[in-house]
């Protein structure tokens, strides 16, 4: 009887340990998926652009004491904020369009300085300029293994001793460019 209690206790403990392991595995798996998604696009540029658009868009809805311009002048603020939000989302969900989104973000954030309450009291404009710059400058992740192959090719060809007189010289292999998925042709 005592032996059966121990066995049942050990089975329950092993089940709870297995459940804890599977829970940590699923958490780490989801964290890895999140990191992979975040690194495969201009995440921080898109986030700053979204914040800029939200800040510029919400400011015209503030109380009268905070607003600098009223009436019809608040419409450009809402429109510019909405366009900045769309550009931030396009940076996230359409990474090949990041260059255009980055340029338009910078231009609209600069125009918001004049057209909408000093660009959200300079906060929205600065966030938009930084976000547009980050989207414009982001490059797709190049595969590390492909980079290691080109390094091996360089060292394999360059480490050989020079041939003696009369022996044919073998050409050293030239490194191949790293493949990437950028349709605009930018090199990393």
């Amino acid at each position: 009887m005592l032996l059966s209690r121990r066995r049942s206790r050990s089975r329950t403990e092993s089940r709870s340990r297995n459940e804890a392991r599977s829970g940590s595995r699923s958490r780490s798996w989801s964290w890895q998926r999140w990191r992979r998604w975040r690194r495969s696009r201009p995440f921080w540029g898109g986030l700053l652009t979204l914040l800029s658009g939200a800040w510029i868009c919400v400011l015209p809805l503030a109380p009268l004491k905070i607003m600098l311009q009223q009436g019809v002048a608040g419409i450009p603020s809402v429109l510019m904020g909405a366009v900045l939000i769309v550009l931030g989302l396009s940076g996230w969900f359409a990474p090949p369009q990041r260059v255009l989104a980055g340029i338009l973000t910078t231009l609209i954030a600069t125009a918001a300085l004049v057209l909408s309450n000093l660009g959200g009291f300079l906060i929205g404009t600065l966030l938009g300029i930084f976000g547009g710059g980050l989207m414009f400058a982001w490059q797709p992740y190049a595969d590390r293994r492909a980079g290691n192959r080109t390094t091996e090719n360089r060292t394999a060809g360059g480490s050989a001793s020079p041939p003696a007189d009369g022996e044919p010289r073998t050409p050293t292999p030239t490194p191949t460019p790293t493949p990437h998925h950028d349709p605009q042709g930018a090199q990393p």
Side-chain angles (χ1 to χ4, degrees):
M1 178 124 158
L2 183 61
L3 187 59
S4 66
R5 285 184 191 168
R6 286 184 186 168
R7 284 184 187 164
S8 66
R9 227 183 294 158
S10 66
R11 287 180 191 157
T12 351
E13 290 173 0
S14 65
R15 284 182 194 153
S16 64
R17 274 186 257 146
N18 288 339
E19 289 171 1
R21 286 182 193 156
S22 66
S24 66
R25 285 181 189 159
S26 67
R27 280 189 299 248
S28 67
W29 181 74
S30 62
W31 181 252
Q32 288 173 353
R33 279 187 64 196
W34 163 250
R35 287 182 66 195
R36 196 173 28 238
W37 183 84
R38 182 175 47 99
R39 290 180 177 183
S40 66
R41 59 203 71 245
F43 177 77
W44 296 110
L47 182 66
L48 288 178
T49 303
L50 281 170
L51 291 174
S52 168
W55 185 261
I56 291 173
C57 192
V58 167
L59 208 56
L61 306 174
L64 294 175
K65 294 179 183 179
I66 297 175
M67 290 292 296
L68 294 177
Q69 298 177 2
Q70 290 299 316
V72 179
I75 293 174
S77 299
V78 175
L79 290 176
M80 286 181 170
V83 169
L84 285 172
I85 289 171
V86 168
L87 287 171
L89 290 173
S90 72
W92 277 355
F93 297 110
Q97 304 303 323
R98 71 186 183 283
V99 174
L100 178 65
I103 291 171
L104 288 176
T105 297
T106 305
L107 290 175
I108 291 172
T110 306
L113 184 64
V114 177
L115 296 175
S116 67
N117 295 314
L118 293 175
F121 297 125
L122 293 178
I123 295 171
T125 295
L126 290 176
L127 286 173
I129 290 172
F130 288 139
L134 286 174
M135 273 198 288
F136 182 78
W138 182 83
Q139 290 291 318
Y141 177 74
D143 190 17
R144 288 184 188 170
R145 289 174 287 183
N148 289 342
R149 276 186 262 149
T150 58
T151 309
E152 290 169 3
N153 288 342
R154 281 187 221 135
T155 58
S159 64
S161 61
D165 289 336
E167 291 182 20
R169 231 171 227 248
T170 57
T172 59
T174 58
T176 58
T178 306
H180 56 84
H181 61 280
D182 187 19
Q184 295 177 349
Q187 292 297 320

